Amino acid sequence: MAARSVAKAKSTGKLRRSWIQQLLKTPEVPFAFALLVADAILVGLIIAYVPYTKIDWDAYMSQVTGFLEGERDYSNLKGDTGPLVYPAGFLYIYSGIQYVTGGQVYPAQILFGLLYIVNLGIILAIYVKTKVVPWWALSLLSLSKRVHSIFVLRLFNDCFAMTLLHAALLLLLYQKWHLGLIIFSGAVSVKMNVLLYAPPLFILMLKAMDIFGVISALSGAVLVQILLGLPFLLSYPVAYISRAFNLGRVFIHFWSVNFKFVPEQIFVSKELAIVLLAAHLGLLTLFAHYRWCRSEGGLFSLILSKFTHLKPTSSSFFSVKRLLRPEHIATTMFVGNFIGIVCARSLHYQFFSWYFYSLPYLLWKAPFPTFLRLILFAVVELCWNVYPSNTYSSILLFVAHLVLLAGLWAAPSENPYLDDTKSISSSKKKAK
């Protein structure tokens, strides 16, 4: 008996040492869980003690009420901040919120607090999967005063759009392209800014699938938009499409965080819009050709290669032909979105949620020393907390964006593929 007890104690000791050793090797997982718990407590304290400021909530509820009362003409769905300018997914989500909360702010804050934690959990899963950022730097994801405010003190629809986008990205990291595209389309149906991710996503799809797989995945995304917008497309299609998918909106100069240093007459001009659009498209093309598609011989070589063998295989519509590295997927998506942020004519305060969660990742992809990464992170956060924004804060933010963009251009190239010679199906057979 004594011998058995000694042996059992030794075995238990070995298991404990093994567990501790494994914990030391992968500290990001327990640290991520601890971060979730700590941030959940912080969110609870914010809801309990920080006063709520109404901005768009009443407008959201007015627009939803009109929809629930049977209005299907988008030109008649309005609130105190103006007409409804979001696709139909927004209406369905906020109709559900109104039903659950009765239109009251406090229970809605609790709901958004839960959404904040879900979104943070998804983001942490992305960071743990990609292994780009050191474990201690995950704490940066919980250090934004502005983002906490956007979620639980403002209740903006950006929160739902970005949570769905991050969920779609996590699915892509696991090579779930068709399901990822459906969730991505759901995010677009809440707010159009998600389309900033569309160009890099399309390139990644071309890398991962043949042309028939790309078409089938895109068809699923389009079908989601049709189904969600069907009540409006069947009644007042022109009003719905022109209001919900209006790409020509001009924002108010006062609320701009990034280009406040530009005189208002230039800010609202078509010339500036054209210059920024050209810069956006040019930067996307440069990064796509020289960075994202470098291993394929460039962007145009990748596109041409998809038309050399157009005969589909029996499983081509849903199978993934190439396994992409999670790091390459996340890098391409985050950088593509950040290019859109740099070239956006106007960034309002809630728009910080569009790219904040990618900031630590992008900073660690750039070949900067750690102290410069932390300085840039602090500068960006500082600029987003200056209210109202001014010439100096907007110039500082613009310079910080350009420095980070230059660092991403100078970053070392990465191998995009997990397996350079075999498809997923052959890899699975080998694993068996």
Side-chain angles (χ1 to χ4, degrees), residues 197-336:
Y197 284 93
L201 175 56
F202 181 68
I203 291 173
L204 291 170
M205 291 168 62
L206 289 176
K207 286 169 168 276
M209 298 180 285
D210 62 22
I211 194 66
F212 299 98
V214 172
I215 292 173
S216 66
L218 290 176
S219 298
V222 172
L223 182 60
V224 169
Q225 294 299 321
I226 293 174
L227 292 176
L228 292 175
L230 199 58
F232 310 98
L233 292 171
L234 291 176
S235 51
Y236 300 93
V238 175
Y240 176 66
I241 294 173
S242 62
R243 293 295 182 108
F245 300 96
N246 181 8
L247 297 176
R249 293 171 60 202
V250 179
F251 293 99
I252 299 173
H253 180 255
F254 175 81
W255 293 110
S256 178
V257 178
N258 57 332
F259 278 121
K260 197 63 172 289
F261 61 90
V262 176
E264 186 171 4
Q265 63 271 22
I266 297 177
F267 177 84
V268 299
S269 67
K270 290 185 178 179
E271 289 77 9
L272 179 62
I274 293 172
V275 169
L276 291 174
L277 177 60
H280 187 190
L281 296 177
L283 285 169
L284 282 175
T285 303
L286 287 173
F287 270 85
H289 187 71
Y290 292 104
R291 306 295 304 170
W292 305 334
C293 301
R294 186 172 182 176
S295 64
E296 293 84 8
L299 173 61
F300 306 107
S301 296
L302 173 66
I303 295 174
L304 289 174
S305 70
K306 295 301 168 180
F307 294 93
T308 55
H309 303 288
L310 288 178
K311 184 178 180 180
T313 61
S314 59
S315 61
S316 81
F317 287 100
F318 296 100
S319 64
V320 177
K321 300 305 177 184
R322 302 294 298 274
L323 281 169
L324 296 180
R325 293 182 181 274
E327 180 183 350
H328 180 67
I329 295 172
T331 300
T332 304
M333 291 287 281
F334 283 153
V335 174

Side-chain angles (χ1 to χ4, degrees), residues 41-113:
I41 295 172
L42 176 60
V43 167
L45 293 173
I46 292 172
I47 294 174
Y49 295 105
V50 180
Y52 172 80
T53 303
K54 285 187 178 182
I55 297 180
D56 285 344
W57 177 256
D58 288 340
Y60 290 170
M61 292 299 100
S62 297
Q63 293 158 357
V64 163
T65 299
F67 165 65
L68 294 176
E69 290 177 350
E71 181 61 68
R72 296 297 179 263
D73 186 349
Y74 246 60
S75 60
N76 292 331
L77 293 173
K78 301 177 181 179
D80 56 10
T81 60
L84 176 59
V85 293
Y86 310 123
F90 159 83
L91 284 174
Y92 300 132
I93 288 176
Y94 275 83
S95 294
I97 293 174
Q98 188 186 72
Y99 176 80
V100 171
T101 65
Q104 299 301 308
V105 167
Y106 182 70
Q109 283 185 277
I110 296 174
L111 185 62
F112 272 79

Side-chain angles (χ1 to χ4, degrees), residues 141-199:
L141 297 167
S142 294
L143 296 182
S144 174
K145 176 184 176 182
R146 177 59 62 189
V147 170
H148 280 93
S149 173
I150 291 168
F151 270 81
V152 297
L153 298 178
R154 301 295 183 268
L155 314 184
F156 288 120
N157 64 325
D158 306 74
C159 307
F160 277 96
M162 296 314 298
T163 299
L164 288 171
L165 182 277
H166 294 147
L169 177 54
L170 184 59
L171 287 169
L172 299 184
L173 299 188
Y174 286 93
Q175 319 296 323
K176 305 296 183 181
W177 295 93
H178 285 79
L179 182 56
L181 260 290
I182 289 174
I183 304 300
F184 179 86
S185 185
V188 173
S189 77
V190 180
K191 196 158 188 178
M192 287 276 286
N193 70 283
V194 177
L195 287 177
L196 291 176
Y197 284 93

Side-chain angles (χ1 to χ4, degrees), residues 140-141 143-144 147 352-360 377 381:
L140 297 176
L141 297 167
L143 296 182
S144 174
V147 170
F352 191 30
S353 61
W354 295 3
Y355 76 108
F356 165 76
Y357 286 106
S358 66
L359 263 182
F377 181 88
E381 175 68 20

